[in-house]
Amino acid sequence: MEEIKRIGLLTSGGDAPGMNAAIRAVTRAAIHRNIEVFGIHRGYQGMIEGDFTRLQSGDVSGIIQLGGTILKTARSKDFMQKKGRQQAYEQLKKSAIDAVIVIGGDGSFTGANIMTKEHELPFIGIPGTIDNDLYGTDYTIGYDTALNTVIYAVDKIRDTASAHNRIFFVEVMGKEAGFLALMSGIACGAEGILIPEVRNQFSKLKKYLAQRSRQRKSSIILVAEGDDEGRAIEVAAKFHQEFPELDIRTTILGHIQRGGPPSVLDRVNASRMGVAAVDALLEDQKCVMIGIVNNNIIHVPLNKTVKLHKEVSKEFLDLIELLK
Ligand code: F6P
């Protein structure tokens, strides 16, 4: 077992509230275990360019409550190329970095997984994405805060929808996954959700909405960005074409879902996962993601998290139908 003396730490892909809490936890846990931490700025792009700075305990003071990421983030096209990964590896070696902890989503872990195959370098992943779409973990950093942001907004939309008996199509994030729409839909009593995992839902929903509207009842439908029927504006236009007499509005929640102070759950779980990532390296783990299942910390091989698909729960889908 090689002794780990210096680690690199980066955030990559879409930012998520709680990433800073994880940066703080990794930094402080590593320092407690006599490991130096180098912050890698701007994700894998910063790794390629050698944009590193040493992080001391004081550098991560006062950040646990902040959304975004103090290390900045990026989606690097260069890192998708072998040449870019070779350059990144050389930069890490030049700074004597023995291992890397990456906080991000499936794109970030795909990069990490390829890099560990090409180069002898331990990589530990911490799941950070508001989409909560990673296989092998019940939870990803930022999901809980984003859910709360969505329901806070939709509760307000509900007031005005109800005052005017309107149908609102509210677009939430989730290009490839509907977990955010599903869970927030249950929490705000949505009359329906449209998500990429369940296809051809719209025709069934249309009849129900038209009928509710004629009974002078308002409705809220959450549309995940990646639904097969299109984005909220397209869905609303299709609906309007068939029922021009009904009063329809569209709201796109957009990037407010990615920002803001992290919730208690995101701060606590990010802290747990950050410490667990450092411990995983000390246990000689080379290529795993830290997950949380049934509220317990687990290790999931990185290749599994990128190859396998997380399924939406039928129980939750049924709840939307039953309780609408
Ligand atoms: O963070 C994940 C995610 O929020 C997706 O749901 C969304 O489609 C995407 O990021 C948008 O990210 P960006 O605007 O940074 O490209």
Side-chain angles (χ1 to χ4, degrees), residues 203-220:
S203 44
K204 195 170 98 191
L205 192 62
K206 266 190 305 205
K207 290 186 200 117
Y208 170 72
L209 292 184
Q211 178 203 354
R212 269 182 72 84
S213 202
R214 288 190 196 105
Q215 292 165 349
R216 296 188 197 288
K217 286 182 184 157
S218 64
S219 298
I220 290 188

Side-chain angles (χ1 to χ4, degrees), residues 13-15 75 129-131 173-176 180 225 255 258:
D15 61 311
R75 293 189 172 96
T129 162
I130 65 162
D131 293 340
M173 278 191 163
K175 214 182 278 170
E176 277 145 30
L180 197 56
E225 299 178 286
H255 286 77
R258 286 244 291 258

